[in-house]
Amino acid sequence: MLYFRGFYKPYKCALTIAIVISMLLMLLPASSFAADPKGNEITKAEFIAKITDFFEWPHPDDYNDIWERAVSAKQFNDVQTSDKYGKQIEAAYEEGIISADEFGNFNPDNGITREEAAVIFAEAFKIPESSTPTDFQDDAEISENAKGSVYALVELGCMPGATANLFKPGDLIKTNEVDQIFRTLKNTVVAPVYALPRQHYEAPRRYVKLYCATPGATIYFTRDGSEPTTDSDVYTVKDRGHINEILSNNELPEKDVVYKAFAVKDGLISSEVQTFTWRLYRPVVDDFQLELFLEKTTTSPAVYQLYNDMESVRAMAWYIEGQDRGILFDALQTPAATKDLKEFIDKNIAQKPYDLIIGHAHPDHAVQAPNFVKDHNIYSNERGWSGLTRYLPNPEDQAKVINIDWGDTFDIGGSMLHVYALPGHASDNIILQDKANGLIFSSDIYGCTRAGSADNVGVLRDGMRADILLSFAQQAYSAYKQDGGRTDMLFTGHDEYPLADNNLLLFEAALQQVIDKGEEGCSPTLRGLNNPPYSRTTLIGDMWKDGTNWISLQLAGIMGDDTEYLTNNETANYNGPHGFKQYSVLSNIEIEGGELVGKTVAWRDPSSFTFAGESMTVEIALKNMFDPWSYEYTILVPEKNDSITIVPTTMSTQVKRIRLNGKQIRYRSSNEIAVSDGTVITIDIIAPDNATTSIYTFTVEKY
């Protein structure tokens, strides 16, 4: 049942009003369409583009739904994605609004008849067909398959005739006619509710978004397949996020999730109820899968992707093999007793001896470790060893684990892998980089771009703060680039396809907007039901429009609360009102021609636990790092170097002034300085509040 909001009258009342208006319009001497110059017909491509853009139907390439990628989206023979309106046409096809002719063509440059336009308008707005004929003299000329749509639009008063007496169903519709019909429809009926991700593709889990193209409309919905009413739950992305639908262990291997929704706005006819069904499937037990991403050469490693569809979060592991050795980076979530990843790799991939490196000791990346402990070296950062005991409970097995941290290297033959650390998602998170080939293996820290998963990965765990993480991220990126290092391909723990350097920069930018804007740089969670409502995140881009070029990171606490997600120390409490404007500190300093002697930077108290039968205490810190709140440093410079280049980066991009040795410089500018033994370099900064200041001194020590 449709309702006319504001008056709460039955839909028939609204139709009666619309019919009266329509009849009055027909008494006029001529339609306003008659004034449109001949030859101003709209093409099919232009018409569909208007429809698609209004409803914001994303193209399959615009969002990273890996289950959609597994099924090729149909394309028309005469439309390419790269065409001017190619994406809009293919998106409309995905929504079921248009179809190909008998030859598989769309004929984008052809005109579109008035009755064809009526059918598409009615389908897009989900307007029920009518059986009431029009009063036009040529009513009999309307095609049988178009009558229901034409009658409905005429009945609503949304599509007048070409003249006062004639509908002219076979005439090509003109641009001004389309625009007028569109305006009338938008001012008469509420647009239907649409849903993402699309329903066509089976997946192990879904994060569901509902949306309506009518500004200010209220969406009412149900998740149990029952009919929604105005007493049902209200949906907004801000309040509900993307609602998680996932198979529980007692529901395996499959079920259907059914949503029903409609939208309401005062003064407009409510939308029809729409039904959305997502098919969830996850096998109880399945085999590992692999894909070769990079072939081995004499100077670059082979890279294989490994995963298992039986896993609830479907993590990725990466097997990297050079000329002499291989490395398995991460060990998935499949129970070690159920399937043996080592056996699978030995049989299908490995041609050389190999080691296991655990990127961080979360269950979805480490559960297979027991299958490797007997015959392979296992490397893991000691900051995560307490968690590793869940998978390696035997002290004898624990004793075989080798610590790994920033500065370590692995020569696998033809490729050197450098180790870095970037905590936050987990204190033990480590990263591998092949500098020469531009390959980075990061486990989870850089997030995930799966649109259907709404993966705003938590990055402020174990006491981490956003400003310290920003500093660490900038220092790690600087290290990646040292010695000509490249950052071409980023392999994460949950993206099925390698990302690009831009995703590393997005990570920094997402944290930077929090530092620069405080709470205004934050957003509510994308993960409905998984996280508490309004959980604090930082978001850049749109998962439904930007492909893999977006990011969402969960910070800490709830929007508007007093959670300290920024540093609170003797210098300042950056969490307080406008506290972010007090950042007068550096977050990073790059030095060419010399080496900074860093500090140990801790983000929480040391961790004490028992491992390999012994009690141990581990610092939750990174060593030899730049510390934003330490102000005196030494720079080691080779005797032969008469100058060094310094690139200072301030924590806030909004600082009022940066001076190097008394001379004002720009944010992240490159500055060459003549040096000798004992040279003292000063950097002073005035914060965005134009009051708080910091002064750093760097003393040169020749060697």
Side-chain angles (χ1 to χ4, degrees):
M1 174 73 72
L2 296 176
Y3 294 95
F4 187 76
R5 307 315 298 176
F7 298 100
Y8 295 93
K9 301 290 187 181
Y11 178 41
K12 288 184 178 179
C13 177
L15 286 181
T16 302
I17 296 170
I19 292 169
V20 172
I21 294 172
S22 179
M23 293 176 65
L24 288 172
L25 287 171
M26 292 181 66
L27 293 175
L28 297 175
S31 167
S32 60
F33 296 156
D36 197 46
K38 185 174 178 60
N40 195 25
E41 293 85 5
I42 192 170
T43 67
K44 289 183 71 177
E46 292 168 337
F47 177 71
I48 290 300
K50 283 178 179 285
I51 298 276
T52 298
D53 290 346
F54 172 70
F55 288 106
E56 297 185 344
W57 298 325
H59 186 272
D61 290 352
D62 290 342
Y63 62 98
N64 183 19
D65 183 353
I66 57 96
W67 293 283
E68 173 273 320
R69 289 192 183 195
V71 181
S72 297
K74 177 176 172 57
Q75 294 180 319
F76 298 98
N77 295 331
D78 55 352
V79 175
Q80 301 297 318
T81 305
S82 58
D83 292 347
K84 183 176 181 180
Y85 300 115
K87 280 194 170 184
Q88 289 101 317
I89 293 168
E90 291 174 355
Y93 175 85
E94 283 285 290
E95 286 296 340
I97 305 302
I98 56 176
S99 59
D101 66 14
E102 59 183 316
F103 304 107
N105 296 325
F106 176 67
N107 305 304
D109 296 327
N110 288 359
I112 182 169
T113 67
R114 286 170 47 77
E115 67 173 25
E116 289 172 337
V119 170
I120 293 173
F121 268 128
E123 178 61 34
F125 277 89
K126 305 300 181 187
I127 296 171
E129 291 187 353
S130 172
S131 58
T132 304
T134 71
D135 291 329
F136 293 115
Q137 295 173 3
D138 57 352
D139 184 90
E141 297 177 19
I142 301 171
S143 302
E144 285 299 320
N145 63 352
K147 280 183 177 178
S149 299
V150 172
Y151 291 175
L153 293 186
V154 171
E155 205 169 298
L156 283 172
C158 294
M159 189 170 185
T163 70
N165 300 314
L166 298 174
F167 186 77
K168 295 190 176 182
D171 279 13
L172 297 180
I173 199 166
K174 298 177 181 179
T175 301
N176 76 314
E177 292 181 275
V178 169
D179 291 344
Q180 182 172 326
I181 295 167
F182 229 140
R183 283 193 299 270
T184 308
L185 276 167
K186 288 187 282 188
N187 292 324
T188 303
V189 300
V190 179
V193 177
Y194 280 97
L196 291 168
R198 290 190 170 100
Q199 307 165 70
H200 319 319
Y201 312 110
E202 189 175 77
R205 65 173 178 165
R206 283 305 194 190
Y207 279 82
V208 174
K209 172 189 175 182
L210 304 176
Y211 68 103
C212 175
T214 299
T218 299
I219 297 174
Y220 295 96
F221 78 109
T222 60
R223 298 172 59 207
D224 59 3
S226 62
E227 289 299 308
T229 69
T230 51
D231 293 323
S232 298
D233 289 342
V234 173
Y235 178 89
T236 70
V237 173
K238 185 176 181 181
D239 292 335
R240 303 299 298 263
H242 295 64
I243 300 178
N244 180 29
E245 296 292 351
I246 188 168
L247 287 159
S248 64
N249 288 335
N250 61 3
E251 292 175 320
L252 293 178
E254 58 192 348
K255 74 171 182 179
D256 286 337
V257 173
V258 180
Y259 280 46
K260 292 191 175 185
F262 73 105
V264 166
K265 185 177 181 180
D266 285 350
L268 301 181
I269 300 170
S270 301
S271 73
E272 282 282 305
V273 172
Q274 300 302 308
T275 301
F276 308 100
T277 303
W278 291 272
R279 182 70 169 169
L280 301 188
Y281 175 77
R282 179 163 66 92
V284 178
V285 177
D286 204 5
D287 294 325
F288 294 106
Q289 304 293 320
L290 69 84
E291 184 170 345
L292 175 63
F293 270 86
L294 296 175
E295 302 244 8
K296 187 191 302 186
T297 73
T298 56
T299 57
S300 64
V303 176
Y304 289 85
Q305 175 194 70
L306 294 157
Y307 61 92
N308 195 323
D309 282 332
M310 68 179 285
E311 298 183 4
S312 62
V313 294
R314 202 171 181 269
M316 299 293 118
W318 304 94
Y319 181 77
I320 313 154
E321 189 174 274
Q323 295 293 313
D324 302 326
R325 291 194 67 80
I327 286 174
L328 173 63
F329 189 72
D330 277 345
L332 301 182
Q333 188 182 9
T334 303
T338 302
K339 287 286 181 177
D340 191 331
L341 182 58
K342 168 186 156 44
E343 181 181 282
F344 181 84
I345 292 172
D346 291 347
K347 179 180 178 180
N348 296 286
I349 304 176
Q351 300 178 16
K352 303 291 181 182
Y354 63 93
D355 305 316
L356 168 63
I357 296 178
I358 296 174
H360 67 293
H362 285 174
D364 50 329
H365 302 277
V367 169
Q368 279 282 317
N371 288 328
F372 295 90
V373 72
K374 180 180 177 182
D375 300 319
H376 299 268
N377 292 326
I378 296 182
Y379 294 88
S380 171
N381 181 265
E382 63 182 359
R383 291 185 292 275
W385 282 3
S386 61
L388 202 58
T389 59
R390 289 174 290 179
Y391 329 117
L392 295 174
N394 188 330
E396 292 181 1
D397 290 341
Q398 295 169 10
K400 298 177 183 179
V401 177
I402 304 167
N403 187 35
I404 183 176
D405 212 339
W406 189 314
D408 291 333
T409 57
F410 290 84
D411 187 347
I412 59 174
S415 173
M416 182 72 74
L417 295 173
H418 298 257
V419 179
Y420 301 98
L422 190 52
H425 178 66
S427 288
D428 59 323
N429 201 100
I430 57 95
I431 293 168
L432 304 181
Q433 182 195 20
D434 178 338
K435 285 181 173 290
N437 295 296
L439 312 179
I440 293 179
F441 302 86
S442 70
S443 209
D444 277 3
I445 185 63
Y446 286 117
C448 174
T449 68
R450 285 181 190 164
S453 298
D455 268 316
N456 38 276
V457 170
V459 293
L460 298 189
R461 296 174 176 171
D462 287 347
M464 182 61 69
R465 298 290 186 266
D467 40 23
I468 288 294
L469 183 56
L470 173 62
S471 176
F472 285 167
Q474 290 174 344
Q475 292 182 67
Y477 190 81
S478 296
Y480 300 158
K481 292 294 189 178
Q482 282 179 353
D483 303 320
R486 290 163 44 196
T487 54
D488 301 339
M489 301 177 76
L490 170 63
F491 299 85
T492 78
H494 290 276
D495 280 290
E496 283 77 1
Y497 299 87
L499 305 180
D501 177 71
N502 183 57
N503 293 89
L504 299 171
L505 301 179
L506 281 173
F507 184 81
E508 179 183 331
L511 294 168
Q512 188 69 66
Q513 71 180 359
V514 177
I515 306 306
D516 288 347
K517 301 176 183 178
E519 191 80 340
E520 290 184 5
C522 300
S523 307
T525 181
L526 293 178
R527 282 187 172 184
L529 302 186
N530 267 42
N531 301 333
Y534 286 80
S535 293
R536 186 180 284 107
T537 68
T538 174
L539 171 69
I540 292 179
D542 188 317
M543 69 171 71
W544 304 109
K545 298 178 181 178
D546 297 322
T548 60
N549 292 314
W550 70 282
I551 192 167
S552 181
L553 305 174
Q554 185 186 4
L555 300 176
I558 305 297
M559 294 282 291
D561 71 4
D562 58 359
T563 297
E564 293 186 347
Y565 60 98
L566 303 173
T567 293
N568 180 5
N569 60 19
E570 63 277 3
T571 302
N573 178 10
Y574 300 102
N575 303 277
H578 304 294
F580 65 95
K581 293 185 177 181
Q582 295 180 283
Y583 281 112
S584 62
V585 296
L586 295 172
S587 54
N588 187 27
I589 186 158
E590 299 171 70
I591 300 170
E592 299 174 15
E595 181 181 351
L596 184 78
V597 178
K599 315 287 186 181
T600 296
V601 182
W603 55 96
R604 74 169 174 85
D605 292 338
S607 175
S608 297
F609 53 91
T610 299
F611 195 77
E614 297 182 6
S615 296
M616 61 187 303
T617 298
V618 174
E619 284 189 291
I620 308 302
L622 295 183
K623 297 179 179 179
N624 197 29
M625 302 292 289
F626 176 76
D627 177 6
W629 291 280
S630 293
Y631 302 100
E632 295 182 357
Y633 288 89
T634 297
I635 300 175
L636 301 178
V637 178
E639 187 65 41
K640 64 179 181 179
N641 290 357
D642 296 326
S643 66
I644 61 174
T645 298
I646 290 182
V647 181
T649 301
T650 53
M651 186 74 77
S652 170
T653 66
Q654 309 300 309
V655 295
K656 295 299 183 182
R657 189 185 71 198
I658 313 169
R659 292 193 307 189
L660 175 62
N661 289 338
K663 178 183 177 182
Q664 190 158 332
I665 60 172
R666 299 188 316 277
Y667 171 82
R668 254 180 179 165
S669 60
S670 181
N671 307 273
E672 186 174 359
I673 304 169
V675 295
S676 59
D677 192 44
T679 297
V680 176
I681 301 165
T682 63
I683 297 176
D684 64 274
I685 304 160
I686 298 179
D689 65 3
N690 210 24
T692 311
T693 61
S694 294
I695 300 175
Y696 294 84
T697 61
F698 302 86
T699 303
V700 172
E701 182 179 312
K702 286 291 191 86
Y703 68 95

